[in-house]
Amino acid sequence: MLTAPSLQMSRRSLLAMAGAGLATAALPAQLFAQSGNNILIIASGQDIPNFDPHTATGYSASFFLRNVYDPLVRVSGNPPEPVPGLAESWTVSEDGKGYTFKLNPAAVFHSGNPVTADDVVFSFQRALALAEGNSWMIRDIVTPEGVTAVDPQTVQFDLAVPFAPFLQVLPWIFVVEKAAVEANEGGDDGKTWLMTNTAGSGPFNVARFQVGTLYHLARAENAWQPGGGNLDGVIWQIVRETATQRLMLQRGEAHVAVDLTSEDMDALQDAPSVVRIIEPEYRTFSIKMNTEKGPCADVNLRKAIAWATNYQAILDAAGYADLMVGPLPIGILGFNPDLEVPRTDLDKAREYLAKSAQPEGGFTLKMVHVSGLEQQRRWALIMLDSLKQLNIGLDIQPLNWPDMVALCQSPETFPDLFPVYQTANYGDPDNIAFAAYHSSRNGSWQNPVYSNPEVDALVEAGRSEIDTDKRIAIYGAFQEKVVADAPDIFGVLERRKLGMRDAVQGYSFTPVASNAIEAWPLSLG
């Protein structure tokens, strides 16, 4: 387990110095590949924001947490289904509110201590108390008093309301070792300590890391999970440029690349020893607007921007994709294919601009995007050209992902336009609806500023209703209300594009956060 230094230092300093000898200048990933060990190297453009399973979000954090921590239930298959994690079995009451989980007696933390029901209760209560990270998935569903330890190996949940996707959300609520976190509580529920330390039971743990360069996870000495491959470890190597990720894959310097563009995939079509994975997934790309501060607080301006956007150019730049039809992914429960959404129409755009507070344009908006992510850079340039048609300028600023996340904390810091991918963590409309449009998510990258009490009420009704027909009607009304508010430019549904060396064995695609690779089942041949 790593040892945190002074709590007054910045996260970059903490990460750079944490752990005597563990976070020193990391070896290049190529040297690991030549070391003779079975080290899986994943090239990604996104840094890991922190190590706390109850505050960190984003696909890089999901990768880290999936491999270092365990949830009660994991997800597997296509379509995705819940499978045992820490819980080896469970039962559900007839009213859909009571869940009883039996823990696997073999489960142990990296410390060697057994995973108990008290650890599970502590973890859920901590997640709810912090109200960050993935806790939105269970907020108002699980209450602190609604999760109890029946005995050391049995956990009981009495939900506040029925919640159809409950088993599907459990893979994202990770269990920490109660004793370790309490021993390092530090006046903030262990948040500072868990920025750079771990208290998990997952199949891997942190060996070394260097912020902005790589994170090396080593196979836990007491890994208890069944069905593992032959990996000694896995490296999450930060590679900002997708073209560089592709070249590393071709040269055998990386085993997996997770941010490849359509052009990259085309270039890999006949590449020797490379496997292309192009699969449909509930993965939306939209451009969020600042509905609270600045010019885009004007709904007419937002609608003008939405109608001026060149959607065909966005689709062409995406490659393997379809245009979004409103806020929900195509084909998910309740999706309305006949929803009327903006498509490029400059006459309508100018009509809405004329109704806005600045009918002549003549101002400049700010848009950020992930540095090195070519796809987002192209979309930003498309928005630049689209806004010119309305006499509106666009200042484009590339940033690293953690810096973009920091901008989401308040309407004052949030830019006018903010591109975001959202990959469904579970195949239910609640995943997108609650995360991206419920006001309780304000301050997060999924929904930095948008707030509408009527939308909140629809989202809450949809997630607590267990009758399928009623849910479909609720999500129909939800889609219409969101489109009327125009908080987003609805972009594309991209197919997941992964590049993989054929030496990787044991991989099976699951359309849930598939860029957050679970390394435990994999082997290198």
Side-chain angles (χ1 to χ4, degrees):
M1 191 167 292
L2 305 180
T3 304
S6 169
L7 305 186
Q8 303 303 316
M9 302 179 70
S10 68
R11 174 182 176 266
R12 183 168 293 273
S13 296
L14 283 168
L15 289 175
M17 297 179 65
L22 292 183
T24 56
L27 293 173
Q30 298 96 304
L31 297 185
F32 282 101
Q34 298 166 9
S35 67
N37 293 329
N38 288 322
I39 306 291
L40 183 79
I41 299 171
I42 302 173
S44 163
Q46 190 176 108
D47 210 340
I48 295 173
N50 73 70
F51 296 171
D52 190 335
H54 302 144
T55 66
T57 60
Y59 83 83
S60 56
S62 295
F63 155 79
F64 181 88
L65 300 175
R66 277 180 142 183
N67 288 286
V68 174
Y69 285 87
D70 284 314
L72 283 171
V73 173
R74 293 189 177 273
V75 65
S76 181
N78 190 5
E81 297 290 342
V83 296
L86 288 171
E88 62 179 2
S89 64
W90 54 86
T91 57
V92 185
S93 65
E94 290 186 6
D95 65 2
K97 294 174 65 176
Y99 288 76
T100 304
F101 295 89
K102 289 289 186 180
L103 301 183
N104 189 323
V108 293
F109 289 107
H110 298 146
S111 65
N113 295 324
V115 179
T116 70
D118 283 340
D119 295 303
V120 177
V121 172
F122 173 82
S123 297
F124 276 80
Q125 291 179 343
R126 180 178 187 268
L128 291 169
L130 293 180
E132 299 180 47
N134 294 329
S135 67
W136 62 268
M137 298 183 188
I138 58 170
R139 189 175 305 139
D140 301 323
I141 304 297
V142 176
T143 61
E145 62 276 7
V147 53
T148 55
V150 177
D151 60 47
Q153 297 300 121
T154 308
V155 183
Q156 175 69 34
F157 288 82
D158 295 301
L159 305 185
V161 293
F163 184 47
F166 185 58
L167 287 175
Q168 283 73 27
V169 306
L170 288 182
W172 302 103
I173 310 298
F174 296 92
V175 174
V176 299
E177 185 176 7
K178 177 182 178 181
V181 177
E182 286 187 334
N184 297 278
E185 193 275 338
D188 64 356
D189 295 313
K191 285 176 62 176
T192 299
W193 185 73
L194 279 172
M195 285 181 69
T196 54
N197 295 267
T198 63
S201 60
F204 298 91
N205 203 1
V206 179
R208 66 180 71 230
F209 60 93
Q210 185 173 4
V211 175
T213 302
L214 61 79
Y215 296 78
H216 174 205
L217 308 182
R219 185 186 185 106
E221 291 183 6
N222 55 1
W224 62 272
Q225 294 79 0
N230 70 2
L231 296 183
D232 298 304
V234 54
I235 290 173
W236 186 262
Q237 183 169 0
I238 311 303
V239 182
R240 305 293 183 190
E241 301 293 336
T242 64
T244 305
Q245 291 187 25
R246 172 174 58 82
L247 291 172
M248 289 178 63
L249 193 68
Q250 289 176 283
R251 293 192 295 250
E253 296 170 358
H255 298 104
V256 183
V258 298
D259 295 318
L260 299 178
T261 66
S262 295
E263 288 80 4
D264 291 323
M265 299 302 283
D266 291 341
L268 290 172
Q269 183 169 0
D270 298 315
S273 303
V274 173
V275 177
R276 300 186 310 158
I277 298 167
I278 305 171
E279 294 284 350
E281 189 176 41
Y282 294 139
R283 186 191 185 207
T284 64
F285 171 80
S286 58
I287 301 173
K288 294 188 173 293
M289 293 182 272
N290 192 335
T291 58
E292 293 297 316
K293 293 288 183 181
C296 291
D298 185 332
V299 66
N300 286 307
L301 178 61
R302 297 199 301 273
K303 290 184 176 181
I305 294 171
W307 284 99
T309 297
N310 188 338
Y311 294 95
Q312 187 60 48
I314 287 178
L315 182 61
D316 291 343
Y320 302 94
D322 298 290
L323 285 177
M324 291 177 66
V325 183
L328 292 183
I330 294 171
I332 207 165
L333 177 72
F335 168 74
N336 178 8
D338 300 319
L339 191 68
E340 183 178 351
V341 296
R343 292 290 183 251
T344 309
D345 187 326
L346 288 177
D347 289 337
K348 278 194 175 183
R350 291 178 179 122
E351 286 178 15
Y352 281 113
L353 182 64
K355 298 176 185 178
S356 74
Q358 302 183 70
E360 302 298 326
F363 55 91
T364 298
L365 300 176
K366 180 179 179 180
M367 180 174 180
V368 299
H369 70 82
V370 176
S371 177
L373 195 52
E374 177 64 14
Q375 199 86 307
Q376 287 196 3
R377 187 188 73 84
R378 293 181 184 180
W379 283 322
L381 292 175
I382 291 169
M383 292 309 302
L384 173 68
D385 290 338
S386 298
L387 290 172
K388 282 181 181 177
Q389 309 299 312
L390 300 179
N391 191 31
I392 298 173
L394 187 64
D395 176 22
I396 300 171
Q397 182 180 6
L399 293 173
N400 293 334
W401 177 244
D403 295 327
M404 287 179 62
V405 171
L407 296 178
C408 299
Q409 295 178 3
S410 74
E412 287 74 20
T413 59
F414 190 60
D416 301 298
L417 301 178
F418 186 90
V420 64
Y421 295 100
Q422 181 159 324
T423 302
N425 295 317
Y426 51 100
D428 188 275
D430 177 70
N431 191 160
I432 301 294
F434 195 93
Y437 298 101
H438 195 275
S439 63
S440 67
R441 299 296 298 138
N442 288 168
S444 72
W445 62 267
Q446 294 158 308
N447 180 18
V449 297
Y450 174 65
S451 176
N452 182 329
E454 293 181 3
V455 170
D456 283 354
L458 288 167
V459 171
E460 291 162 11
R463 70 194 324 240
S464 62
E465 179 58 62
I466 58 175
D467 182 276
T468 299
D469 291 338
K470 291 179 180 179
R471 293 191 82 204
I472 290 172
I474 290 168
Y475 285 114
F478 159 79
Q479 292 166 86
E480 292 178 356
K481 179 64 66 175
V482 170
V483 169
D485 279 352
D488 298 353
I489 298 163
F490 303 116
V492 293
L493 288 156
E494 284 196 280
R495 294 190 180 187
R496 174 62 63 193
K497 300 181 289 291
L498 301 173
M500 190 171 295
R501 298 288 298 182
D502 61 8
V504 179
Q505 301 172 0
Y507 177 79
S508 178
F509 180 83
T510 299
V512 172
S514 58
N515 55 345
I517 303 292
E518 284 194 284
W520 179 245
L522 305 181
S523 293
L524 289 176

